[in-house]
Amino acid sequence: MSDQKTNDTTYWKSLSELAKNKEYEKYAEREFPEDASELTDQVSRRSFLRVMGASIALAGFASCRKPYQKILPFSKQPEDRVLGVPYFYATSMPFQDTVAGLLIENSEGRPSKVEGNEMHPSSRGKTSIYHQASILGMYDPDRSRHPRRNGEQVSYSDFAQFAASHFSDTDRNILFISEASSSPSRQRLKENVMSRFSNAQWVTHEPFNDDNRIEGTNIAFGQRLRTVNHFDEADIVVSFDDDFMSPSGHKNSVEAARQFSMARNVKSVEDSMSRLYSIENSYSITGSMADHRLRLKSSEIEAMVYALAGRLAQDLNGLSAFSGYSNDMSGHDMIETLAAELLANRSNSIITAGTGHNPAVHATISALNNALGNIGSAVTVHELPFQDNANNSAAFAEAVADARSGAFDTVVILGSNPVFTAAADLQFEDALSNIDTKIHLSDYVDETSQACDWHVNRAHFMESWGDGLAYTGQRSIIQPQIAPLFDGVSDIELLHTIVTGEAGNGYDLVRETWQDVFSGDFETQWEQTLHEGMDITGSGFPAASVSIDSGFASQIQPMLETGVSDGIEITIKPDPTLFDGRYANNGWLQELPDPMTKITWDNVALMSPSTAESLGLPRERAFNSSDVPVVRIETSDGAIEIAAWVQPGHADNSITLYAGYGRNTIGRVADGVGVDVYPLRTTDNSYYRTADVSATGQMYEIACVQDHNSIEGRDMVREATLDQYRENPNFSSYESVHGYEVPGIEEAEHEGDSKGPISLFDEQYGPDYQPQWGMAIDLNTCFGCGVCTIACQAENNIPVVGKREVSRRRIMHWIRTDRYYEGDEDNPGVYHQPVPCMHCELAPCEQVCPVAATVHSEDGMNQMTYNRCIGTRYCANNCPFKVRRFNFFHYSQEYLTTGDDPEIIQMAMNPEVTIRFRGVMEKCSYCVQRVNRAKIETRKETGSRKPADGTVKTACQQACPADAITFGDLTDRESVVSQHKMNERNYVMLEEINVRPRTSYLAKLRNPNPELT
Ligand code: SF4
């Protein structure tokens, strides 16, 4: 990618825009799409109702104005509760064998919002999209509501009765299959089970796991260890296909993103920033932050790792296993570059690889980090508790083979969904049919539940007691925020029932485990742990000291023979928003645009423009059409047909597929969405393999938002290299970018107005009023994860609209993240730009509203008065940033009164925010409810109306793992936001139209290797 930016640099969102397609220009000029009238056809209406039923439900369109409900106050106010004041409780969210520390906002006794726990090492107050969306997961009316036996509804006491009798025979051959877990209580219960049933076997199944990474340390150091990368300690990071900033790519992504952003946080020309090299097949959000990105197909990436080891063996001790090694990639220019960078940054660099790559890749990387002296500084390795040989995919595969041969009479599956996710060659469902008694604990009546005799509905983590260990080992507690909505049970309660035949009590089970944890007064420490969400007397896993295993060379050398395939390779990855499919019924996640493709509600076959052309497909999508061609992908194990999507920057002869779609049983949101790609995944080819690919001639509709709200052809993104910044700190000023001053500034200076160009309009805010709110967004640290969008959606009761409505450009998100490409389509640079309402001083929306429904507050916010809005949409037409959202269909009305379970859906709403109705305009309010809460608190405590800096955090700001968003009082010169506004990199979009936005941006920086520029 280019690093010398000029005033002519063009940024583009799609290949059609790059090609300056005529249709595109016509489309981009229109604010509102055609069909902006009614949901008249039955297909649209049906699919919309289906989505809304489960995510933010809706059952009809009878009414078209304000919802009318009665509310009741407490008849007796509880002593410790003030109506309308939320309370926060600590808990942790389990994800595979880790937990993340969270704080849950409780409104009138129900969880309503998720935040990160600032004390917890896994979150430090930040969150991922999975954390934010978990609240909707809990209120999902499609969750299973009761146990079933052979499909018939039964009660948990029926199950307990059955368990008491069935498991009284302790000689049973039982197979336990569980999700990965770090819970000490689960481990204790597991030990109880295993000692009671001497013929039992316990295996773990996770389709996307850390097995290869852990096995890599076993090959290199002779120990199965967890690798922790400390990105704030590294000056050079080399990522081989490791999407470490995405929650689908890494279990510690929130902390990794926070640390990486710290290492790139530049406040002045004196500051330095780390340098990231990314080698990957498809564009990831981590790759989009790279200073140098190389696109290779997956087999080439592996060869590249070994070639780098062969090169570094010439200069480093401890790499004799690679002495004299070379392969087809050894002559690649990047090898010398990487070698020079790594040798110059010994002990402060990181080499990392994606979990999908084979153990030999991870072993090589462990050896390289060790030889470079990185282990012990920027990289640490740690022994994991609860590790045994049954924790990996190989043990699972053996157990399935045993099941097929009739080795088990009972199987108990805890949470995992292997019928859907197990490798195709294992034919799991077939093996399952050879077991007499099959019990499945799960959130939904999913594919595995349907193949089992017993289904037990699982409690959500916000409904149950539990515990776990953070990625770095901090012992943490999971405390319920609400009684189980559907009387579900947790895995530890189910295990207790299997051992005792009685219903378990999660609270007692967890307390029993923690009796052994505390050394002092139990009750005091227990209370403290509940309060903080973690055991503050404990620490993380101690770092292990390692050296290269004596058998390393003999083990690794036979593994280095890698073949780079000639044909097209498919690479199967977890979906960035749905992961392995476990979040498929979550409407917020389905509708969150993919950070790179901006596709919602579907998975596609991602390929480069050249690969598309070689398959006879168009390089760019036909404009004003959502239809894209379908391809058939065939391997010796199966075939699928899936929409093809041309992704700039994708490796040639490589196709990326995301798993987790193609569901038919779990709920109204997930069912019928996308294509199941698991049939192409086998035990030997779990990550990539060659495949035959051909066009089918069919077309398929995709809802993609990449060309929505297009403000094309204008300088939205400003950027420079670190060196260019040092040479010209004002590189992002209007004058530097355009070569002339902002039009009208001279006249303004002549008039003595220093605020900006002369204007026909008066500024609307009260100039003497304090505080004056403003926001700054740092494009240098934003990596486009979309957490801000989901956090805003959760905070502000923003509805899900469904695929059809997204296609019609009616998505309701108050903050979108625009993704721009720059450069040529084969290897472009990528820039992310979150765009909320700019709260302009001279707001064009305010000038045109005929009923003054959008006005300025005295503290400088552009506000919407919903009651007054008559829906002319003049304001949206006049908004240069296209941040206003029109409520076409009363998206949120019916969930309050009708649907399957209106009370459940109502509970998900933030009571501090109005539910909007059909016919009104809505948009970012700077979380005015949070601002007002802080003002009231400050007034009560100090008598002042100015909350201290940092007291008010907007939902997007609080959630952002990169700390890219800053909000505060612009009249306080010391506030962080004021400091950002004074930074040379600060700029506003479309300065020339003189609307004076309150939201500004800090320009993007890259830190390319001077040798390569
Ligand atoms: S600003 Fe939004 S998209 Fe950017 S890093 Fe923060 S949360 Fe992610």
Side-chain angles (χ1 to χ4, degrees), residues 777 781-789 815 817 834 956 959-965:
I777 302 176
T781 48
C782 171
F783 60 103
C785 64
V787 178
C788 49
T789 301
I815 178 168
T817 306
C956 54
C960 173
D963 253 334
I965 301 176

Side-chain angles (χ1 to χ4, degrees), residues 824-967:
D824 76 275
E825 65 199 68
D826 287 330
N827 205 14
V830 161
Y831 304 89
H832 303 283
Q833 184 170 42
V835 186
C837 170
M838 299 285 130
H839 294 267
C840 310
E841 303 294 12
L842 300 174
C845 52
E846 295 172 15
Q847 316 292 351
V848 294
C849 178
V851 292
T854 183
V855 291
H856 242 63
S857 68
E858 56 190 351
D859 48 3
M861 295 188 209
N862 169 251
Q863 296 185 324
M864 269 308 304
T865 312
Y866 301 126
N867 263 349
R868 210 181 293 155
C869 176
I870 55 170
T872 62
R873 296 183 272 152
Y874 295 164
C875 56
N877 277 315
N878 216 34
C879 172
F881 308 102
K882 303 191 179 179
V883 292
R884 296 185 149 252
R885 303 283 172 263
F886 186 67
N887 193 324
F888 281 96
F889 287 120
H890 209 162
Y891 296 110
S892 305
Q893 184 210 357
E894 297 293 335
Y895 71 85
L896 293 169
T897 51
T898 58
D900 289 355
D901 220 336
E903 293 82 14
I904 298 280
I905 304 288
Q906 286 169 32
M907 289 166 79
M909 298 296 104
N910 181 355
E912 293 186 312
V913 178
T914 311
I915 308 291
R916 281 80 58 189
F917 40 90
R918 180 181 176 181
V920 301
M921 192 58 75
E922 57 182 80
K923 49 112 223 165
C924 158
S925 69
Y926 270 170
C927 288
V928 64
Q929 65 282 0
R930 292 183 172 215
V931 170
N932 287 339
R933 194 198 302 159
K935 278 162 87 174
I936 292 164
E937 288 302 315
T938 308
R939 191 71 171 237
K940 272 189 346 207
E941 283 162 19
T942 68
S944 162
R945 67 184 176 203
K946 272 184 74 160
D949 190 36
T951 317
V952 190
K953 282 198 164 108
T954 59
C956 54
Q957 172 189 19
Q958 186 160 7
C960 173
D963 253 334
I965 301 176
T966 317
F967 178 78

Side-chain angles (χ1 to χ4, degrees), residues 536-578:
I536 55 170
T537 62
S539 57
F541 301 132
S545 139
V546 289
S547 56
I548 290 292
D549 191 59
S550 54
F552 176 61
S554 57
Q555 270 205 79
I556 195 78
Q557 280 165 351
M559 297 174 162
L560 300 181
E561 296 308 322
T562 172
V564 174
S565 62
D566 289 333
I568 292 184
E569 261 174 26
I570 55 166
T571 301
I572 299 178
K573 299 185 178 186
D575 185 73
T577 57
L578 310 186

Side-chain angles (χ1 to χ4, degrees), residues 732-743:
S732 64
S733 71
Y734 189 89
E735 198 174 349
S736 293
V737 172
H738 294 273
Y740 50 85
E741 282 192 328
V742 189

